[in-house]
Amino acid sequence: MIQEQQMLSDKLAIQELNYRYFWAVDSNDEDAYISTWMSDGISEAVYGSVNGHDQLRARFRNMQAGLSKNKRHFVGNLVITIEGNKAQQQCYLLVVERADEPAVISTAVYHDELERIATGWKFSKRSIQIDPSWKQ
């Protein structure tokens, strides 16, 4: 029973991490964004790979100036597998325009690796596969 409660608690914490990640992106809160990552976190995407907080900060700034500007990000269909202090997840991403006429801009799938540290769960690696319907 205690293990089941811990598993549920961990899954809720990982869901919350996802929500905090995208609230940070949508509200242009760089420090909140960085707080979701391990210090050596890796972000992989079709537009390149970055490693560590300094490179993640640079990617965040570039996203805010371009791809993520005036967008809302919605995450769902999370499938989370936890083994001790490590976890893997897959989830869907839906990106919509918020400044002009509402429209779906992109859908994607994340494949993530996470680690639990003293301050909670953090992303150690995020790999995004953007679907072919992406509108640039």
Side-chain angles (χ1 to χ4, degrees), residues 33-72:
Y33 172 80
I34 291 301
S35 76
T36 65
W37 288 95
M38 296 291 291
S39 61
D40 59 350
I42 299 168
S43 176
E44 297 179 336
V46 296
Y47 37 84
S49 180
V50 298
N51 184 320
H53 280 180
D54 289 342
Q55 291 181 11
L56 288 163
R57 283 184 185 281
R59 170 163 287 168
F60 180 86
R61 292 179 194 130
N62 288 337
M63 287 181 352
Q64 292 303 319
L67 293 175
S68 291
K69 186 176 182 177
N70 296 319
K71 307 294 185 286
R72 290 275 187 247

Side-chain angles (χ1 to χ4, degrees), residues 2 7 12 22-23 30 34 41 48-49 53 68 71 78 84 88 96 110 113 118-119 122 134-135:
I2 292 174
M7 182 73 67
L12 284 172
F22 286 114
W23 269 101
E30 184 177 321
I34 291 301
S49 180
H53 280 180
S68 291
K71 307 294 185 286
L78 287 80
Q88 294 184 340
V96 297
Y110 272 103
E113 297 175 14
T119 56
K122 306 283 184 185
W134 179 26
K135 301 173 187 172

Side-chain angles (χ1 to χ4, degrees), residues 3 7-8 10-11 24 37 41 43 57 64 67-69 84 101 103 107 109-110 115 118 120 123-124:
Q3 283 182 324
M7 182 73 67
L8 292 172
D10 286 338
K11 286 188 176 192
W37 288 95
S43 176
R57 283 184 185 281
Q64 292 303 319
L67 293 175
S68 291
K69 186 176 182 177
E101 189 173 319
T107 58
V109 176
Y110 272 103
E115 289 184 44
F123 293 111
S124 55

